[in-house]
Amino acid sequence: AARAAAARAPARPTVEQVRLATRLSELFYVRDWQGIVALEQEALALARGLRGTDPGYAGTIYSWLGNGFLNVGEYSRAREMHEQSKAILEEMGDRLGMAQACGNLGNCCDAMGDYVTGIEMHENSKAIYEELGDRVGLAKSCGGLGLCYGNMGDFVQARKMHEQVRAMGEEMGDRALVTLACGNLGTCCQNMGDYAMAREMHEQARGMAEALGDCAGAARAWGNLGNCYQRTGDYALACEMHEQHRTISEALGHRAAVAGACGALGECMSSTGEYMKAISYFETQYTIIEELGNIKDLPTVALNMGVAI
């Protein structure tokens, strides 16, 4: 009987598995996305092994991998990982985990240009967070919806969502949330032609991100400021902002962000007639997004390069 019970008991994780799980957790909490992606094969093997004995932790590993791939610009791989996580959490009946998984999938769909599905996922996430009374989660869902609406061109609805996020962040004293909302509001204002307000929002976001030690947030703010100055024809200042964005993103290993900064620099150079520099930036951008598999952006970059040539 004792032998039969031992046979039915879940296998204890090996020392190597415990070390790997600990390492993945550490990388996630310091936002070392490249480090997580580099451990893909080992992490997948661990997740598959844990699915029958500790499905909740297996779902967490898939989620870590999904966030890693999303932040390095490999959106299709990110979506695969979050789909796996969502399936496990559905089987478990984990409502909070489901809300998080839906939000992560919404971010992936948004990045891939599938805005309708992105909105659906964020709405699902929002409904669960409201049911659970989770204000932080609710704010994140509203922010995700705002991004999707903005990418669809519905800036009025996008601004409404981001205003809600900022209000919730201020109410909770969550400065990171307020920082993110200010940046998103700045982008909405920019797309609506209110450049003065856009710059004000992006400057606030940059200052708060730097105070929080959020290098990625500061990089985004620099890039957003560059976009504002670019829209108003101040290309010299725009280039300074985009160079800051590129430099910080390179140091962080955020290749998708580097590609975006190079594209913006290429556009500035084209606008000022420095076509050889523009071509070089566009070539770098094209190479990075091709390597990342972000196919939807390749035609636009190729067109920009062709115009410069």
Side-chain angles (χ1 to χ4, degrees), residues 183 186-191 193-196 198-199 202 219-243 245 257 259-268 271 285:
T187 300
C188 284
C189 292
Q190 177 183 315
N191 286 318
D194 188 350
Y195 300 115
R199 284 194 295 270
H202 290 315
R220 279 195 304 273
W222 282 115
N224 287 330
L225 282 165
N227 291 335
C228 284
Y229 287 113
Q230 191 174 335
R231 289 278 189 94
T232 55
D234 192 341
Y235 299 114
L237 199 49
C239 283
E240 288 182 27
M241 306 291 109
H242 291 311
E243 282 289 1
H245 183 199
C262 286
L265 284 163
E267 290 169 9
C268 288
S271 296
Q285 182 188 22

Side-chain angles (χ1 to χ4, degrees), residues 143-285:
L145 283 166
L147 292 174
C148 282
Y149 282 121
N151 286 327
M152 289 178 72
D154 188 346
F155 304 121
V156 173
Q157 187 66 16
R159 187 169 183 171
K160 178 181 175 182
M161 292 291 106
H162 295 311
E163 287 283 9
Q164 287 184 26
V165 176
R166 183 172 66 169
M168 285 188 276
E170 288 174 345
E171 179 186 324
M172 293 184 288
D174 189 331
R175 288 180 58 77
L177 200 57
V178 175
T179 302
L180 188 62
C182 285
N184 290 330
L185 277 168
T187 300
C188 284
C189 292
Q190 177 183 315
N191 286 318
M192 296 173 79
D194 188 350
Y195 300 115
M197 180 59 73
R199 284 194 295 270
E200 181 181 334
M201 289 293 100
H202 290 315
E203 284 288 5
Q204 285 186 28
R206 181 178 65 82
M208 285 187 284
E210 289 177 346
L212 291 169
D214 178 4
C215 295
R220 279 195 304 273
W222 282 115
N224 287 330
L225 282 165
N227 291 335
C228 284
Y229 287 113
Q230 191 174 335
R231 289 278 189 94
T232 55
D234 192 341
Y235 299 114
L237 199 49
C239 283
E240 288 182 27
M241 306 291 109
H242 291 311
E243 282 289 1
Q244 289 278 5
H245 183 199
R246 185 179 69 156
T247 300
I248 298 170
S249 298
E250 283 178 341
L252 294 171
H254 294 179
R255 301 193 70 217
V258 173
C262 286
L265 284 163
E267 290 169 9
C268 288
M269 294 302 169
S270 285
S271 296
T272 56
E274 297 184 68
Y275 300 115
M276 294 305 295
K277 288 183 179 179
I279 292 165
S280 178
Y281 282 123
F282 289 136
E283 285 177 341
T284 301
Q285 182 188 22

